[in-house]
Amino acid sequence: MWIRLARAGPPPDELLQRTKAPVEVLAIPGAKHGSVMDYDYVFARDAADRSASMRPMDIMRCSIGTFFEVTLERRGSLNSLEPCRADAELHAYGKTG
């Protein structure tokens, strides 16, 4: 799973050419490097900012957990990520079958 933050592009072509499995890309609009750390949360001005700073981390935590359940434990499908990513996008690259 490639987690795409605001400045990141799609997976590198070299990765896509070398991998034998599909690459799932989770794009989280507005998420930046600071979104995956607690900095924005710790220095939030109020409860609304604190809540907003947690949203990208919540999406990632849920998505990564579900991704591992699906790929490592072979339970469900990647459609199971739907509840995790109300405002995120999931794209598949590479071999899909």
Side-chain angles (χ1 to χ4, degrees):
M1 174 179 268
W2 181 275
I3 298 178
R4 184 175 179 182
L5 304 179
R7 292 186 184 161
D13 287 335
E14 183 177 324
L15 171 71
L16 297 175
Q17 291 169 2
R18 286 184 166 186
T19 187
K20 294 180 181 182
V23 175
E24 303 294 332
V25 177
L26 178 67
I28 304 173
K32 56 190 184 305
H33 188 300
S35 299
V36 299
M37 299 180 173
D38 58 6
Y39 181 86
D40 292 342
Y41 182 85
V42 170
F43 293 101
R45 292 179 299 222
D46 53 34
D49 282 352
R50 216 172 353 272
S51 179
S53 71
M54 286 300 297
R55 183 71 183 135
M57 289 190 285
D58 289 341
I59 292 170
M60 284 185 255
R61 186 177 347 199
C62 178
S63 298
I64 291 168
T66 301
F67 179 80
F68 283 140
E69 285 179 11
V70 170
T71 58
L72 299 180
E73 299 175 12
R74 302 197 192 290
R75 292 190 294 163
S77 73
L78 289 175
N79 292 333
S80 304
L81 289 171
E82 196 64 38
C84 298
R85 56 184 195 89
D87 55 354
E89 300 173 12
L90 185 70
H91 303 280
Y93 291 84
K95 302 166 190 73
T96 57

